[in-house]
Each structure stands twice: as C-alpha cells, then as structure tokens.
Amino acid sequence: MARVHNWQIGREMSYWYPESRPKKQFAAVFDTNKCIACQTCTLACKTTWTSGKGQEYMLWNNVETKPYGSYPLAWDLKLLEMLDGGQWSGGTYTGQTIFESARAGERVLSWRPEGDDYAYPNVGEDDCAGTVDGGMSLSMPHMAWFYYLARICNHCTYPACLASCPRGSIYKRPEDGIVLVDQGRCRGYQECVKGCPYKKVYFNPMTGTSEKCIACYPKMEVGLQPQCFVNCIGKIRMAGYISTPENARPDNPIDYLVHVRKIALPMYPQYGLEPNVYYIPPIHVPPAFLRQMFGPGVDAAIAAYRNAANDPDLAGLLSLFGATESVMTRWVRKGEEVAGVDDRGTTLVRVPMTEPVHVRAGFDKIYQVMRSNCP
Amino acid sequence: MRRHIVVLVAVASVAAACRPAAVTTPDVVAVMAPAVPESPDDPAWANAPEHVEKLLLQDLVEPRLMTASTPDVRVRAIAGPTEVAFRLEWNDASKDDLPGNGRFVDACAVQVPQRADPNAPDPQMGQAGKGVQIAYWRADWQATVDGRGTTIQDLYPNATVDHYPFEAPTLEKGSAAQSEMARRYAPADAAGNLRGGARTSPVEDLTAEGPGSLSPAGGSKTRGRGVRTATGWSVVIVRPLPDGLAPNARTQVALAVWEGAGKEAGARKMRSGWVALAMRRTS
Ligand code: SF4
Ligand code: SF4
C-alpha cells in the first residue's frame, strides 16, 4: 500500500498504487434538484453502448429514487454498514476508507452483489420517506421527501475497481483520467464488480468479461460531452475537467462549482476514492441524510445554491448546463450574458441570464381568431 | 448430535471400503504408452498410478482465498511420444458451469515450468525470467463444447429480451452487416478475447511470469475434456511433453482447482506447490 493525498477527505490515505494524477481529470457536475427521473440518460447510454447480448441488465447510467431506490439492490447501504459510520472533523475524515479497512486477504473493503440484486431496477422505489400530512412540505427541509439520484461511473482518482483487479486489466488514462476495463486483458474474475463501492462495473456473462462506463471517450476526445449529458431532459449535467484544489481556475466551470463556490460535492467521499462526479445536493432533503452521502459541505452548498437568484455568477454558470453538446473548459459572464468557451478561446454558446418574455395579444389579427392557451 | 457424527463416519467408511484401493505415488508418474487417452473414462487410465495431491489455499497474494474448499486432487498421467495426458479428479458436490453476475464456474489447471530447472520457478505462477506454462480447463467452456447453446436463455432460462438492435428486420439474418453490428456491443469479442460464447475447446494455453501476468500462449496446443462423475469432476488435459520430461528425467508440475460454488476465480483458488513429474515405462 502506498500513501496518497485525497483532498476530498482532507488527508493522506493508503492506496494500492502510488499517487499518479492524470494530465487532466474528466469530471462532471449533476444538479440533483433538476432531475425528473425520466431515464432519458439511461436509454441514451443503453442504445449507444449496452444493447448487446449479455448487457441486458447493465446500466452504466442509472437513476434511482432515494432513500429507497438502489441499483444494484442496497449498493450503498451494505457498504455503509460495513464501514461502520466514520466521523468527520471539519473537512477531515477521521474514519477509515475502504482501502484502510480492507479485511485480511482483500484489497478493499467490499461485498459482492448476487445476480438477483440486478434484476429489478427501479421497482417499488418511488416512495416518500414518510406520509405527508397537511402542510408538511411547506417548509424546508421536507419531513417527507424523496429525490432522484442519477449515477454513472465516477472515474475516480483512486479507483477501487482498478485496485481490485489482480491482473491490472483496469487502467486510468493519463491523458484524461477516464477509467477503462481493457477488454483484451480482462479474464472475468469479477473482482472489480465486487470492489467498486458504487457498483459501476458489470459482468457480461455472454462475453465473459466485465464492462463499465467509458465516459463516451470517443466524444470527449473531440470536445463533445457524453450521451447521457447531452440527452438529459432536465439539463442537470455538465461534463468537463477538474483541477486539484490548489490549481483551481475560477474560469473553469467545474472548478468554479466544486472548488470556488463548493456547491457540488462528491458522493460518499468517505469511501476514499476521490470520485469525480460532483452533486449539487437536493435542497429539500434533511441534511443529516445528505451529510452521510455528500460529506460535511452539504449545508454550505445548499445555502449557496438557494441564494443563486442573488448571485449572478452562480446563476449564470448554472444556466450553461445543457446549453451545448460541446465541452466547455472555460466560461465567462459579461453583464446579462454568460458564455461557454473552449480551450482555444472559441465561444461555444451564449445564454442570456434572463430569458426574454413575449406577451402575445389575445386576438390574432392575421387569422382573425381569439387565441387560447392550452394548459 | 454425537450420534449423527457416528452415523456419518460409518457411512463414510463404508463408501471408502467399496472403492478399489488406489496405488498412490509420492510423485506424479507418467507411464509411457503408444498413444495418450483423450477421454476421462478411457480404460488406459487404470495403468497409471494415482497421486493424491493435497491442495493449499492461495494465500500469498491478494485477493486471497480465505476458506479452504477442495481438499485434494487425484492425478494420473500417461505420456505418448510427443504428448502427455493428465487426468485430474476431485470431489465437488455441485456442477457449476453457468457463468453469470455473481456466478462462478468450476475449473482446473496444470502448470509446468517453461524450462526444466532443478531450481524451479516460484510455484505460484512463476517469476520474472522463469516462466511457467499453464493449461486451463473451465466447466462452462466444456458445456458449450458439449452442445449447450450460446443465447442469454442458455445462461438464464427465464430471461426475456424485447429487442437487440442487430436483430432488427432491416438487417439480413446471418449477414456480415448483422454480425458486424452485434460485435459493436460485444467489446471483448471485438478485442479477440473470447472468454464466453461459442467455443471449440474447453481448455486454453497460457503462460505466466508471476502473479497477475497470465497471458494467452498464442496458438492452442492443448486439448481437454471434462465430465461429471458421481462425486465431482474428471478432467483430461493433453498437452505437448513439457521440457525435461523424458525417461529417467524429471520436471515439476503444479495443480489448481477452482470451486465455482465458492465464487472462486483467478487468484481465489486451491493450488499445490511443485510436485515432481517423472516418466516411467510401466506403472
Ligand atoms: S466508480 Fe467504481 S467503476 Fe468507476 S472508477 Fe470508481 S471504482 Fe471504478
Ligand atoms: S435525463 Fe436528466 S432529468 Fe432525465 S433522469 Fe437522466 S439525469 Fe434525470
């Protein structure tokens, strides 16, 4: 085991391999407040990558309803129980990560799902955390709540899938930090399926190897966001590249949201993988639940997000979500307009801070008819 | 409780008494024959002495096997002019030959040093500069060779599938365009890494120079066939004579067994150290 630095838990930790950060790191921000669980992302991924034999129950992208939903079944609960509730002291995690608490003979603390755990995606999960009595949801946080959690592979800085593979079949690309299973080298031992705490590697029984999200790398390589991002109906997603905190650039949209404004948080940072999908937490959910899932930054993140209407920079950047297929490596706000820009300085998209409002007269003079609005 | 144990012991000793007494040897001795048997139930195996090798947990590198499973493997060997056949038999109450998510298959392997050397390579997959050759047999591959189909329903009988894009009516059945499109959704096949699906052989030739370095040997020289017996598996692996194996000359052999029901695969296995492998004219 090597000693590596994990900024998400504010300390050094043990990892199977020495620290070796990529030249740039693929990253994403998901705004959970905007997800409507339409599953368009899931289908965009499925039709692009996983429509083959043996991939029937493989959801590189899935959307589950919290608190009851989980795919595969209880993926998060089981490991949380095994990890035994580690504590935070300020921004430092004082409990053990899954690498530090690996049991004898294992490389990471982990559990193996059974086949049936993958058999019922989304079944029976659209339930509220309690019964809603009159007026209960008029104040924040809601006492009865649920929210949608969209999940892909986190292309972790310290991937447990990669650490679990005894034959080094999983690699992290030095050029962009995307984590891939080498399909020519994998022998289907399913150690990664067990090792990934997010359960984002899937075994293909027909080809006999394990497969996972590839961050649509053929698209990212030409400056386009992945399929689940550009097809997102709720425009909840933005893909790009993240810097380490000391190198954060405010004109990088991901850096701004994660490092500068700290409104987007990693999921289960206490596992120790430095996952690179960052979530804007849902504002209506009791913070105790969210702190367990997104760490100690939840309260400040929610406060900043709720204040976005009075915060032109934040509001402006949030309006770039879903505005273009291209990867915006920079952004700039000029007065009432915000623009997404690429590495060469080319403006990719311009979005007004406030959409213009048009009021149509009740009577259409050309057609000589009264207009009516359909509800 | 005590009475149950006594009854079990009695049953076990009756069963043992019914089995013909096996001649066990301290080494694996390959008896010479004009041709090697290909089938586990070939009468020629009666001419070869049996060596019973106790298996050890793979507990040297992570991930390890922490609970012992298959306690031993019974080995016989017959050598022809250019090849040697090994027959491995072990007890296994369950036939695990359906790969799947969280489902693992029974398997076994025979390992020999790349070059005979009194200073043998590390028994655990060899070492850098001192490679090993491995012949690996898998129960699901055997089932496919024996005629099991290669649809998802062959692995999950109750599976229903709405649609695969490459089975759209616009693509001619069996056409090159159809298989080209199907291959796009089967990345391991496209990479030439045939771990599942249709197979012509249940064994695979591999080389290694240490844990984690297992690689296809390039071109298969090994044949094999495994069958279920009343108590477990009987598997024949036929491979070219290993370097150093000749009358009055010896090399080593090591063995491994994976118990699918115990979710054993890769490094999680029962294995032996090196055992002397000799060649003799008669048993
Ligand atoms: S989320 Fe899981 S599969 Fe993805 S990089 Fe991290 S450990 Fe690997
Ligand atoms: S497409 Fe967007 S809004 Fe729809 S479920 Fe996926 S993440 Fe949520």
Side-chain angles (χ1 to χ4, degrees):
Chain A
M1 285 268 195
R3 296 297 291 171
V4 298
H5 184 70
N6 180 332
W7 65 262
Q8 294 179 353
I9 59 170
R11 65 172 174 87
E12 287 209 327
M13 61 164 206
S14 301
Y15 183 62
W16 196 256
Y17 298 105
E19 184 165 347
S20 162
R21 288 181 184 267
K23 280 195 205 79
K24 53 183 184 175
Q25 173 62 58
F26 168 85
V29 172
F30 287 9
D31 184 349
T32 57
N33 296 286
K34 289 159 68 180
C35 178
I36 54 171
C38 62
Q39 305 282 3
T40 311
C41 47
T42 307
L43 267 291
C45 177
K46 197 128 205 56
T47 49
T48 309
W49 300 116
T50 63
S51 289
K53 296 187 175 177
Q55 297 179 316
E56 295 81 2
Y57 278 88
M58 207 182 271
L59 300 176
W60 292 358
N61 180 106
N62 80 295
V63 184
E64 56 201 43
T65 307
K66 288 295 172 199
Y68 298 123
S70 53
Y71 188 81
L73 201 65
W75 67 269
D76 44 358
L77 270 185
K78 288 210 176 156
L79 193 63
L80 286 169
E81 270 174 17
M82 292 170 79
L83 206 56
D84 214 11
Q87 298 299 307
W88 290 84
S89 165
T92 304
Y93 176 60
T94 56
Q96 288 198 309
T97 67
I98 64 166
F99 304 110
E100 292 159 340
S101 52
R103 293 179 180 163
E106 303 290 326
R107 294 181 173 208
V108 303
L109 182 73
S110 63
W111 65 282
R112 181 181 294 293
E114 296 293 333
D116 274 0
D117 294 335
Y118 294 89
Y120 309 98
N122 299 115
V123 173
E125 66 178 33
D126 267 338
D127 272 316
C128 224
T131 36
V132 186
D133 291 328
M136 265 182 89
S137 293
L138 294 179
S139 61
M140 293 281 192
H142 293 179
M143 297 319 292
W145 54 274
F146 64 99
Y147 70 96
Y148 305 124
L149 186 69
R151 306 202 301 119
I152 61 172
C153 163
N154 295 290
H155 297 280
C156 307
T157 306
Y158 302 114
C161 59
L162 186 155
S164 301
C165 178
R167 50 186 279 100
S169 302
I170 300 185
Y171 61 108
K172 186 167 176 67
R173 304 209 307 180
E175 62 269 38
D176 54 16
I178 290 173
V179 176
L180 298 176
V181 179
D182 181 341
Q183 290 298 324
R185 186 164 173 79
C186 173
R187 288 181 61 85
Y189 300 158
Q190 303 186 44
E191 292 290 345
C192 52
V193 176
K194 179 169 185 257
C196 169
Y198 304 98
K199 296 293 175 259
K200 277 293 166 192
V201 196
Y202 300 84
F203 180 66
N204 182 329
M206 298 292 283
T207 62
T209 61
S210 299
E211 299 173 11
K212 65 178 284 300
C213 160
I214 59 172
C216 290
Y217 69 82
K219 293 191 75 187
M220 287 300 289
E221 283 172 0
V222 295
L224 297 175
Q225 301 191 57
Q227 293 292 72
C228 58
F229 289 69
V230 297
N231 286 284
C232 175
I233 301 297
K235 299 189 175 189
I236 83 154
R237 304 178 175 216
M238 182 184 277
Y241 300 97
I242 191 168
S243 316
T244 48
E246 62 279 11
N247 295 314
R249 276 187 10 233
D251 69 342
N252 169 343
I254 307 286
D255 280 358
Y256 187 78
L257 295 170
V258 174
H259 293 312
V260 180
R261 303 308 305 271
K262 297 182 171 38
I263 68 160
L265 306 165
M267 178 164 48
Y268 293 124
Q270 65 269 42
Y271 292 168
L273 285 72
E274 227 190 83
N276 286 303
V277 175
Y278 297 84
Y279 290 87
I280 301 177
I283 59 174
H284 63 291
V285 172
F289 183 92
L290 296 177
R291 280 182 216 121
Q292 174 175 255
M293 183 172 271
F294 301 115
V298 158
D299 303 79
I302 288 178
Y305 184 78
R306 292 191 69 186
N307 189 45
N310 311 313
D311 188 335
D313 280 342
L314 192 53
L317 179 49
L318 291 173
S319 63
L320 281 179
F321 276 59
T324 169
E325 184 171 18
S326 299
V327 175
M328 294 166 278
T329 50
R330 291 170 50 205
W331 71 289
V332 59
R333 181 176 73 85
K334 281 197 192 116
E336 282 296 296
E337 189 178 82
V338 60
V341 182
D342 70 9
D343 275 335
R344 291 185 300 269
T346 311
T347 298
L348 301 164
V349 65
R350 291 176 14 231
V351 177
M353 297 276 294
T354 317
E355 294 282 346
V357 176
H358 296 279
V359 179
R360 296 195 304 170
F363 185 73
D364 187 320
K365 286 187 188 145
I366 296 172
Y367 292 106
Q368 292 290 305
V369 290
M370 286 298 293
R371 289 183 167 127
S372 64
N373 286 332
C374 295
Chain B
M1 186 63 175
R2 178 168 291 263
R3 212 174 44 217
H4 287 161
I5 292 169
V6 171
V7 170
L8 278 178
V9 170
V11 170
S13 41
V14 168
C18 294
R19 230 185 282 141
V23 190
T24 66
T25 51
D27 305 337
V28 176
V29 178
V31 292
M32 291 167 69
V36 293
E38 307 261 342
S39 165
D41 50 13
D42 193 306
W45 290 111
N47 304 329
E50 185 168 83
H51 169 82
V52 179
E53 180 65 16
K54 288 220 171 318
L55 294 175
L56 315 162
L57 288 157
Q58 189 300 101
D59 59 359
L60 297 176
V61 294
E62 283 90 3
R64 306 172 193 214
L65 187 66
M66 299 305 286
T67 313
S69 56
T70 313
D72 51 42
V73 57
R74 307 182 291 280
V75 197
R76 293 177 192 230
I78 295 179
T82 58
E83 292 179 315
V84 59
F86 295 94
R87 190 183 74 179
L88 275 59
E89 294 188 306
W90 68 97
N91 291 352
D92 181 353
S94 60
K95 174 184 173 187
D96 303 297
D97 65 354
L98 281 171
N101 215 325
R103 242 168 31 192
F104 293 80
V105 293
D106 297 327
C108 68
V110 173
Q111 173 187 287
V112 296
Q114 196 107 41
R115 272 175 292 283
D117 185 347
N119 202 356
D122 283 348
Q124 180 108 332
M125 317 283 292
Q127 66 196 79
K130 277 187 161 190
V132 293
Q133 297 173 342
I134 295 168
Y136 173 67
W137 171 92
R138 238 168 71 172
D140 59 326
W141 294 346
Q142 185 67 58
T144 312
V145 170
D146 291 346
R148 187 169 71 197
T150 53
T151 69
I152 191 75
Q153 286 79 10
D154 289 299
L155 303 183
Y156 292 93
N158 297 325
T160 53
V161 176
D162 299 334
H163 172 69
Y164 296 114
F166 39 87
E167 289 181 354
T170 45
L171 281 169
E172 196 190 323
K173 223 174 172 182
S175 65
Q178 186 184 46
S179 46
E180 157 63 20
M181 190 171 179
R183 184 177 280 249
R184 274 188 229 156
Y185 294 105
D189 288 359
N193 184 17
L194 301 177
R195 313 302 311 154
R199 290 191 74 90
T200 52
S201 170
V203 288
E204 176 181 46
D205 285 321
L206 300 156
T207 59
E209 290 197 357
S213 70
L214 196 63
S215 312
S220 187
K221 301 195 182 93
T222 300
R223 303 184 301 283
R225 176 161 157 68
V227 295
R228 281 296 283 174
T229 62
T231 54
W233 286 105
S234 180
V235 177
V236 170
I237 290 176
V238 181
R239 56 149 292 151
L241 284 177
D243 183 53
L245 183 61
N248 307 319
R250 40 177 47 205
T251 179
Q252 288 99 350
V253 63
L255 310 153
V257 171
W258 289 262
E259 163 59 303
K263 302 199 188 298
E264 293 174 16
R268 299 186 203 262
K269 66 187 173 205
M270 295 297 289
R271 50 106 202 175
S272 75
W274 288 121
V275 193
L277 172 61
M279 199 162 163
R280 202 187 296 152
R281 287 192 195 283
T282 53
S283 58

